[in-house]
Amino acid sequence: MNEPLHRSLGLTDEEAEAIEKILNRLPNHLELAMYAVMWSEHCSYKSSRLHLRRLPTEAPWVLVGPGENAGVVDVGDGIAAAIRIESHNHPSAIEPYQGAATGVGGILRDIFTMGARPIAVMDSLRFGRPDDPRSRWIAEGVVSGISGYGNAVGVPTVGGETVFDETYSGNPLVNVLCLGLMPADRLVLGQASGEGNLAVLLGASTGRDGIGGVSVLASASFGDEEEEAEKRPSVQVGDPFEEKRLIEACLALLDAGLVVGIQDLGGAGLTCATSETASRGGVGMDVDVASVPRREPGMEPFEVLTSESQERMLAIVSPDGLDDVLAICDRWDVQASVVGRVTEGGLLRVRDGVGGEVLAELPAASLHEDAPLYDRPRRPPPDWEDLKADTAEQLPPPENVGADLLAMLTDPSWVYHQYDHMLFCNTVVGPGGDATVLRLKHPATGADTGRGLALTADGNHRWCAVDPRAGTAMTVAEAVLNLACVGARPLALVNCLNFGNPEHPEVMWQFSEAVDGMAEACDAFGIPVVGGNVSLYNESNGHNIDPTPVIGLLGVIDSLTHIPPGLAWCEGDRVIVLGEGSAELSGSLWAASTAGHKRGRLPGLDYEQHRRVAGLVAGLVADDRLSAVHDVSSGGLGVALAEMAAVSGVGFRGARIHNHGELFGEAPSRAVAAVDPELLPEVEAAAAATGVSVARIGLAAGDRFSIKGLLDLDMSAITDRWRSAMSDSNGQAH
């Protein structure tokens, strides 16, 4: 017996019944296809919207919050910043190069759709074990895709993170963040208005690539290679040179005031762009499917309406301005075609030719605003209390502390050396530090404001596997301290929430707990959440990934008078720890890497103490009182110290670190600082004035890395391991 059409399109029986009630009739094939893509997890957030409402989203400086293509905040001097983060996990698992490349292309369009010029990209990447050939193939393809697209389109990739762990075998995470700037008065929203205004399709022709991508890929798990081969046609193909022309043409249209509303064609293609712009504007739209330029013969209307071909935008323009729009597009060699007209009444009609047969007729809002909303069952693991009691402190101590430290070192430079991070010459601090720093220049005049913007992208699946609520809060706190290490205060947060199958109650419990942890931390730090992305069904062969919320945080440096110190200390510097630690090891990299331990209780997070530490660190950086500074996070104090030694090439002689728990524990609210001896009393006085503890732990000097009673390594062992952990003799990731 053949499967019903709605099920083959990914719709449930209940959803099919809801569609019949909306239309008061049976839908046809085209209408079902349109609902299927718009009611997918990717477009509708039907399993997550209920929980996302608990996040704080408002602040006086927020101009646009969640729900639009990107969040927008006022950064002063008449400048607005647009920021967005998206996932392209499933496409990258199938076709790593194109999956990652089109992820970059899509996030760029989200930014210039708002009227902002993209100025920076960051990536947060996670793959399976580096010794697994398939994971290595995926990693190399993803990095090549990001560099190939970003470098060619001319937007710098300025930072991010790369993680290898067994939990991502078969299901990598490719999260991409983009930041853009615009004059605050150029903000444009993705909505249609004005009866009789025209819908103009800009950019590339429409093909069959990406058809059904959001429903086939974003709501599916992965199994064997034959299944993945069948899904490969659902991955889009990108053209960065077309994207570059499209960016310039769209910004020129916005500068000329010719655009009423604009929307990119990403997930669900033309169906999404037409229905969302009409729905947001409270209007309807007639769409002529025959007017859509195609690059493949014989395409059916449902293929045209659901294709996710890249490098396309939908602009709403007045008839009087059409000639000027076409002239600007012609100047930039960008194809432009009128494909629709704004109407009254709220109906989205698809016609075959202007005034031709109506192929589909449905309320635009029913695709966008009336999508299903599920409160899926949630349940903690049945042995949750036992898991919390199984702490890492019960693990046997390491036989060789130095060997365990070396095993945890990785240098991510193989990845970011593939990227051009100096485009626009705005980058003050590039990849490899705690956060990226960009000069804040006025987007209209290019004038330097004397201030800076800081960006970081952070995630920690080990913390969240132990406790998704506390782990997510600690991830937000880490991002705050990363910004403090470059002298910035946090302004706005975006998130990429990567979780397993939402039909599993334990996964939905993880998701709900993570949202609450994020909400709690953002409230405590006064940070609004201005946008984000949810990626569910991250599983392969029945294995759900560890919960992995990724935090993108934007900050402001009020006076950028000098380059922040970075990680490199100087010979003779005194090394101190700002903030109070503990010897708790649950959730740590040491516990997970040496014993596979992801249980227990995470170290406590005191929000008031964390604010004090972050404020102190940011102030010391702003006053140029530190030679080097680095937050303590993954790998604990040991990895932080070793990274600083490796970056600077100067050794470390340490004391007052008594055991492996103090060395490898990942308690929050701590930073390692290197200080000129003459400035040390001043730094300690500033710490005392803010109620932050200071511990003198050693001296930056010599060619050995030693901690009294724990380890003694030649610096060559540190630098060799750090530089070789992610590359072989051919310079390839492994």
Side-chain angles (χ1 to χ4, degrees):
M1 186 174 180
N2 291 333
E3 183 180 37
L5 178 60
H6 68 268
R7 290 186 190 173
S8 67
L9 292 172
L11 293 164
T12 67
D13 294 345
E14 293 76 15
E15 289 168 347
E17 291 174 6
I19 293 168
E20 289 182 29
K21 289 181 180 179
I22 290 171
L23 300 180
N24 200 27
R25 59 175 171 80
L26 288 171
N28 61 35
H29 184 179
L30 174 57
E31 291 164 339
L32 267 181
M34 295 170 71
Y35 278 108
V37 292
M38 289 301 294
W39 285 13
S40 66
E41 287 286 356
H42 180 86
C43 290
S44 72
Y45 288 33
K46 58 189 175 185
S47 297
S48 58
R49 293 200 320 271
L50 183 72
H51 304 283
L52 297 175
R53 294 170 179 172
R54 302 197 294 271
L55 295 172
T57 60
E58 297 181 351
W61 54 90
V62 175
L63 302 179
V64 178
E68 275 281 349
N69 293 290
V72 182
V73 293
D74 187 342
V75 296
D77 292 309
I79 305 169
I83 186 169
R84 172 77 170 174
I85 191 169
E86 270 280 4
S87 63
H88 241 220
N89 303 337
H90 294 97
S92 299
I94 302 301
E95 192 70 67
Y97 185 96
Q98 291 297 349
T102 53
V104 175
I107 199 73
L108 293 174
R109 291 193 298 280
D110 285 334
I111 295 301
F112 69 80
T113 293
M114 306 302 297
R117 176 177 292 279
I119 65 164
V121 167
M122 298 187 85
D123 54 33
S124 179
L125 310 177
R126 285 165 169 77
F127 310 106
R129 290 177 56 85
D131 55 1
D132 171 54
R134 179 168 176 77
S135 295
R136 175 176 176 169
W137 171 72
I138 291 174
E140 292 175 355
V142 165
V143 172
S144 295
I146 292 171
S147 63
Y149 201 101
N151 293 352
V153 82
V155 178
T157 301
V158 296
E161 56 176 357
T162 304
V163 174
F164 291 88
D165 191 273
E166 182 68 31
T167 191
Y168 306 113
S169 294
N171 199 124
L173 300 185
V174 178
N175 295 175
V176 183
L177 177 150
C178 188
L179 174 72
L181 295 180
M182 61 184 154
D185 58 4
R186 194 168 70 185
L187 175 62
V188 179
L189 300 179
Q191 63 184 39
S193 61
E195 182 185 1
N197 279 343
L198 305 175
V200 181
L201 184 60
L202 310 174
S205 298
T206 298
R208 288 190 171 93
D209 52 320
I211 290 177
V214 295
S215 54
V216 173
L217 293 175
S219 303
S221 60
F222 293 111
D224 59 32
E225 293 188 12
E226 289 186 8
E227 289 181 24
E228 296 184 8
E230 292 175 1
K231 293 167 183 170
R232 192 164 282 113
S234 293
V235 179
Q236 310 96 316
V237 177
D239 180 349
F241 303 104
E242 180 76 40
E243 181 100 340
K244 174 61 175 175
R245 295 194 298 269
L246 189 60
I247 290 173
E248 300 303 334
C250 287
L251 293 179
L253 292 173
L254 294 169
D255 282 336
L258 294 170
V259 172
V260 176
I262 192 166
Q263 171 86 7
D264 80 301
L265 275 73
L270 195 57
T271 295
C272 180
T274 55
S275 65
E276 287 194 355
T277 53
S279 175
R280 289 179 184 140
V283 296
M285 189 176 295
D286 280 1
V287 179
D288 174 17
V289 70
S291 298
V292 177
R294 310 173 195 190
R295 62 171 177 261
E296 297 185 45
M299 291 184 68
E300 296 292 334
F302 83 89
E303 294 178 304
V304 176
L305 266 292
T306 64
S307 168
E308 295 178 11
S309 293
Q310 296 290 287
E311 291 87 37
R312 299 181 299 161
M313 303 283 285
L314 187 73
I316 309 300
V317 305
S318 69
D320 292 343
L322 179 61
D323 288 343
D324 291 334
V325 169
L326 296 178
I328 288 176
C329 290
D330 183 64
R331 185 187 314 154
W332 288 102
D333 195 21
V334 168
Q335 186 173 225
S337 305
V338 176
V339 298
R341 185 178 296 270
V342 177
T343 62
E344 286 187 329
L347 286 178
L348 177 63
R349 297 185 189 88
V350 179
R351 297 180 180 272
D352 187 9
V354 177
E357 177 189 359
V358 176
L359 304 178
E361 184 175 71
L362 60 169
S366 69
L367 292 170
H368 179 217
E369 298 176 359
D370 300 335
L373 178 62
Y374 295 138
D375 185 3
R376 294 193 183 274
R378 301 182 297 282
R379 183 179 63 243
D383 53 350
W384 176 231
E385 293 302 322
D386 292 337
L387 290 173
K388 289 192 291 185
D390 184 9
T391 65
E393 285 68 40
Q394 301 173 30
L395 296 173
E399 295 180 4
N400 186 324
V401 174
D404 282 7
L405 174 61
L406 291 176
M408 289 189 283
L409 296 181
T410 56
D411 174 14
S413 64
W414 173 85
V415 174
Y416 61 71
H417 282 166
Q418 314 299 308
Y419 310 143
D420 188 337
H421 61 269
M422 290 304 295
L423 288 161
F424 304 140
C425 296
N426 285 337
T427 308
V428 177
V429 176
D434 289 314
T436 290
V437 176
L438 305 169
R439 292 183 183 87
L440 178 58
K441 298 178 181 178
H442 200 286
T445 64
D448 193 336
T449 65
R451 300 188 298 126
L453 296 177
L455 276 175
T456 185
D458 297 287
N460 192 308
H461 65 284
R462 294 182 306 279
W463 295 346
C464 296
V466 170
D467 186 331
R469 180 189 292 236
T472 303
M474 284 176 59
T475 303
V476 175
E478 181 194 353
V480 169
L481 191 51
N482 279 338
L483 292 191
C485 287
V486 295
R489 56 182 173 85
L491 193 67
L493 181 148
V494 291
N495 58 69
C496 215
L497 306 180
N498 307 277
F499 288 78
N501 190 331
E503 297 164 36
H504 298 168
E506 289 184 18
V507 170
M508 279 312 301
W509 173 80
Q510 292 172 342
F511 183 88
S512 179
E513 289 287 290
V515 169
D516 285 341
M518 186 182 305
E520 178 184 282
C522 287
D523 278 331
F525 298 130
I527 303 171
V529 178
V530 298
N533 174 77
V534 175
S535 176
L536 300 175
Y537 293 96
N538 288 290
E539 61 173 342
S540 60
N541 296 314
H543 170 75
N544 290 301
I545 65 164
D546 287 341
T548 312
V550 171
I551 303 301
L553 194 60
L554 171 66
V556 174
I557 300 172
D558 293 315
S559 180
L560 187 59
T561 56
H562 58 272
I563 297 174
L567 274 61
W569 55 37
C570 302
E571 182 85 24
D573 280 340
R574 299 303 190 262
V575 181
I576 61 175
V577 176
L578 301 171
E580 202 163 336
S582 73
E584 294 173 274
L585 286 163
S586 290
S588 68
L589 176 59
W590 178 83
S593 61
T594 61
H597 191 282
K598 295 183 182 179
R599 300 176 295 282
R601 295 179 185 272
L602 296 177
L605 170 59
D606 182 327
Y607 291 115
E608 178 56 37
Q609 176 68 10
H610 197 85
R611 281 195 297 268
R612 287 199 295 267
V613 172
L616 170 66
V617 171
L620 292 172
V621 170
D623 292 339
D624 201 16
R625 292 297 180 262
L626 305 178
S627 302
V629 65
H630 192 12
D631 83 306
V632 177
S633 55
S634 182
L637 190 57
V639 168
L641 291 166
E643 287 176 343
M644 297 173 82
V647 169
S648 61
V650 176
F652 173 70
R653 296 202 300 269
R656 301 183 184 178
I657 303 171
H658 304 99
N659 53 57
H660 72 286
E662 292 182 9
L663 187 66
F664 297 138
E666 297 178 11
S669 314
R670 294 179 296 159
V672 177
V675 188
D676 184 296
E678 293 185 2
L679 295 176
L680 185 57
E682 184 179 337
V683 170
E684 291 178 326
T690 55
V692 174
S693 65
V694 179
R696 300 187 184 187
I697 62 168
L699 177 71
D703 58 4
R704 299 198 68 79
F705 186 93
S706 63
I707 299 174
K708 186 177 180 181
L710 280 182
L711 58 88
D712 186 6
L713 298 168
D714 191 278
M715 270 299 298
S716 62
I718 296 282
T719 54
D720 289 350
R721 167 62 191 181
W722 183 67
R723 289 172 180 160
S724 66
M726 286 178 65
S727 63
D728 60 20
S729 59
N730 295 318
Q732 298 298 302
H734 70 80

